[in-house]
Amino acid sequence: MGTRSSKFVFSFEEGDNKNKKLLGGKGANLCGMTQIGLPVPPGFVISTEACLTYLAQNKKGLNAELLKEIRAEMKDLEKKTGKGFGDPDQPLLVSVRSGAAMSMPGMMDTILNLGLNQVTLGGLIKMTKNERFAYDAYRRLIQLFGSVALGMRDEDFDEIFKEIKEKHKAKDDVHLDAAGLKETCEGFLELVQKKTKKPFPEDPYEQLEIAIEAVFKSWMGKRAVDYRREFHITPEMANGTAVNVCTMVFGNLGEDSATGVAFTRNPGTGENRLFGEYMINAQGEDVVAGIRTPKPINEMRKDMPEVYKELEALRHTLEKHYREVQDFEFTIEKGKLYCLQTRNGKMNASALIKTSIDMVNEGLISEQQAILRIQPEMLDQLLHPRLDPKAKVKVLATGLPASPGAASGKIVFDADRAESKAKIGERVILVREETKPDDIHGFFASQGILTSRGGKTSHAAVVARSMGKPCVSGCEAIHINDIAKEAVISGVTLREGDMVTIDGSTGNVFLGIVPTIEPEFVEDLLVLLEWADEMAQLKVMANADTPEGVSKAKKYGAVGIGLCRTERMFNQPERLPIVQEMILAETSEERQAALERLLPFQREDFKEIFRIMDGLPVTVRLLDPPIHEFLPSDDELVVEIRHLRELVRTVELMEALPDTLKLLDPQLHGKYAANLETITHGLEELKNRHLAENLINAKESMLQKVKALSETNPMLGHRGVRLGITYPEIYSMQIRAIIEAAAECVKEKIPVAPEIMVPQVCTLQELVFVHNDVNRIRKEVEKKFGVKVPLKFGTMIEVVRACMRAGRLAELAEFMSFGTNDLTQATFSFSREDAENKFLPLYNERGILQHNPFEILDIKGVGRLMLITVEWARKTRPDIKTGICGEHGGHPDAIRFCHHINLTYVSCSPLRVPIARLAAAHGKLKEAEYQFV
Ligand code: ADP
Ligand code: MG
Ligand code: MG
């Protein structure tokens, strides 16, 4: 708690408006507004320290010291208002309002009109000459006090009120007259007596004390405690609640009175205009309660033109003072405006961006402040088509939100169908149990992908993300029968061609078309991101594998490609057969021949990518995944072979058919003879050409190869540089393609900065092996083309041993890039798929792990490894370029950490580049307050 303040209670004039921890957000701002001369009704704040002291003293009543201070402040209020608390002629009424440092639903509600009793009620009637109003105020107090401070049920009050309204034929509250309201108060008082076995407290000070205690206690109420746990609100952020006692002003004194809430700018669009609602002849709670429909603030221009002008002035004063869009409450009592609360307005991303730029232009905030007021993650809202929030729809099933964005289309159950349907202009959603590399053409053809199995790193998820297509994966509620071309979801049967909508941001699946809105990449955002780039130290690159992806990355502002995965280039339909040939090759020569056919494809891709990036670095990773990923699975092959065998057998049986038929019934035979003849003829041809047999042989040898290549732990098996060393000709081909592409660019005067990155390295000797090959090929190519090729050589860091040997690896590696997906698996010894499908959710639920480390970088473990690695690498090579290219590279928290350990760059998917640019600027601007846990 730190040192205690000298007192517990502060008037709005004296409270420190900067100290939200002590006075709560509401209290500090009430003080602030009072001190800049805004019309706040007089009042005072009881500090959060008083609350903590009360709770620490075991809730044994308010202590004498506090009571003394409260009484003194009440006396002061009496002086300021010229009224008396409990005074029979001029009664002072107050509201008692809770408010912690952070706004927190679940805390105690506000009690209005406190100080009313049988005696002061009479005074209020005399004072206002408005009996109806006075009884209305009284019945509100009894109900609020009863439910909030005495723990009674709201429903019991509502029931009485409803009965009386019915009896008096009043449609709603305003139609009930003084007599009806008086009757209501009597009913309410009886209810209190009955339920609490005590009369409603008459003494205003007793009311005040009970109310304050109730607010204090609510801090430890179950709802509030749960809320703080759920949203990780630590005592550092908010500790205890303050209580605000505020003189009542009345919006329910007639047609010249009102209450309302407003934003200083439109929180939906950012438009610089007053935005809000108000209700004539009502008290605060009515607007929220939805008893009557409030009017848009615009109408106040003609309803109350004078007050509207004051509201306009208030809006400017608030913004000038807080330098932020404000969300404020006001009440108008007999034509006089009062301000009852203000706080920073919550806005959507487009409104935040617009207001950031506008407020800089208006001189309200600096460019830094404009950047800092936008949480980077919020930009995600703007970068994908998303479901129209206005659409009212029911969720059919929910899977994992594997790749954000929304898409609608007709269901297809295989990639070929997706392709053929897309060719005739249909929008399709590819629905599969799982996807494989040879489904890739189906991805290109589809609007989105839905799978019933697999996590967020399943093939479907990873490929969809890299293409920026929406994907819902692991939606187990869907039972797919792709032979029958049917899927059953929660009792609904879907057939090919049925419309569905998927939302890859939430994992939801809907029946039919849900309207979407397109992403807006507005001018204001571009300006903002340019400012961010100027402030940031980290560079933002992108992970992109194809010319299309690379163009997108460049458009979104990536200053390089941090990860270009060559295997993605292997997956295209015209290349996959050659890749398979290469894998199935029996001899080195055969393999070489296949590789030579692949080389031009890769070279052209690299050239195109270099051309697009126009001199910015392009980091190409040599082949990484185990090669059996490019072959069909053995299950699939077994089925195909069985079908082929059955076909051969059927042909044999068909040959015997005419004779058998003749034997059976010569007449029948005569009828079919001609047809049978043509069929058997055709089949004979099939047989003579040995089509089926040849295919069976080919499939069988592929099956053998698949079996031979099968591994127990493919992710820890024959992949990455290990593959490059056992099949050196594969890497040689890729290296040659990169260097030749660069050489051709150099000849064409296109600037290039290629970088070759070796995956899965754990020892320097592996790097030496590849490095020698790079040198050899580079010399050859440079000689052949007659140009010098600029080139950097480096390694991924995704194996724990590589971290430990970073100093040694840095002897050869000019750069290092953390592959934090694999490095996280390696650090925890978790396999991601198994972890996410089996035990991680429980770990998170039980609090054993706070987060999913595959989504949120584990800074304490993986981060510390990164820190050590960088330190050791820099000892060997002080100017070593360092980066991160795992999925974490696009997440703001991880980016802040990367700034903290001084990485050179982060690399993320093209769509996240804007988020990362903003986060990189935040990293720099907030570096002083960064705490490495
Ligand atoms: P919440 O945090 O739920 O908004 P508040 O303490 O702000 O709770 O109060 C609830 C409603 O009562 C608001 O509409 C507020 O403007 C109104 N209100 C609070 N105090 C007063 C007061 N002294 N006079 C008039 N209305 C008030
Ligand atoms: Mg409020
Ligand atoms: Mg990896």
Side-chain angles (χ1 to χ4, degrees), residues 123-142:
L124 192 63
I125 294 172
K126 260 189 277 163
M127 245 169 80
T128 58
K129 302 191 185 57
N130 190 336
E131 199 180 0
R132 187 193 176 279
F133 155 76
Y135 281 109
D136 189 45
Y138 196 31
R139 63 102 190 161
R140 286 174 198 267
L141 168 68
I142 306 168

Side-chain angles (χ1 to χ4, degrees), residues 621 624 719 760 796 798 822:
R621 181 181 70 184
D624 182 40
R719 59 176 291 204
Q760 293 288 332
M796 286 199 69
E798 46 192 340
D822 277 319

Side-chain angles (χ1 to χ4, degrees), residues 436-584:
K436 306 186 106 285
D438 49 345
D439 287 327
I440 197 83
H441 54 300
F443 280 70
F444 286 114
S446 307
Q447 306 302 313
I449 291 87
L450 170 61
T451 67
S452 62
R453 285 216 302 249
K456 290 193 196 165
T457 41
S458 60
H459 177 265
V462 174
V463 175
R465 274 200 296 275
S466 75
M467 292 182 181
K469 296 210 175 187
C471 173
V472 171
S473 70
C475 187
E476 288 173 8
I478 306 185
H479 300 279
I480 297 171
N481 179 345
D482 48 8
I483 312 280
K485 294 193 193 283
E486 268 185 12
V488 181
I489 315 181
S490 1
V492 182
T493 303
L494 299 174
R495 303 213 163 69
E496 186 178 286
D498 285 347
M499 271 288 178
V500 292
T501 298
I502 60 170
D503 182 353
S505 312
T506 58
N508 288 336
V509 180
F510 308 86
L511 198 57
I513 301 181
V514 182
T516 54
I517 11 193
E518 275 305 301
E520 322 141 43
F521 210 65
V522 290
E523 179 64 29
D524 282 349
L525 178 56
L526 296 177
V527 174
L528 202 80
L529 289 174
E530 269 168 37
W531 293 345
D533 293 344
E534 277 164 31
M535 293 167 207
Q537 179 181 310
L538 269 174
K539 300 219 172 332
V540 178
M541 310 231 243
N543 301 348
D545 317 309
T546 58
E548 301 79 63
V550 168
S551 301
K552 199 182 236 176
K554 182 110 185 285
K555 183 176 126 204
Y556 284 3
V559 293
I561 299 303
L563 177 63
C564 175
R565 284 156 290 203
T566 45
E567 59 270 17
R568 294 293 161 75
M569 302 172 169
F570 283 1
N571 269 329
Q572 290 185 15
E574 71 275 22
R575 303 178 191 181
L576 196 59
I578 313 178
V579 175
Q580 292 179 341
E581 226 176 282
M582 184 262 295
I583 297 169
L584 295 172

Side-chain angles (χ1 to χ4, degrees), residues 192-226:
V192 172
Q193 171 75 47
K194 197 172 111 203
K195 293 279 170 187
T196 66
K197 310 265 178 296
K198 274 190 221 153
F200 184 80
E202 276 287 298
D203 175 6
Y205 272 106
E206 192 188 340
Q207 290 178 0
L208 186 60
E209 276 177 47
I210 295 174
I212 292 169
E213 278 192 61
V215 175
F216 283 167
K217 281 186 209 149
S218 76
W219 177 253
M220 290 312 291
K222 186 169 157 29
R223 272 200 308 166
V225 172
D226 287 350

Side-chain angles (χ1 to χ4, degrees), residues 26 95 97 110 112 246-249 284 329 340-341:
K26 196 184 282 175
S95 62
R97 320 165 66 184
T110 293
L112 300 176
C246 183
T247 308
M248 281 306 300
V249 289
E329 292 173 359
L340 285 162
Q341 186 179 335

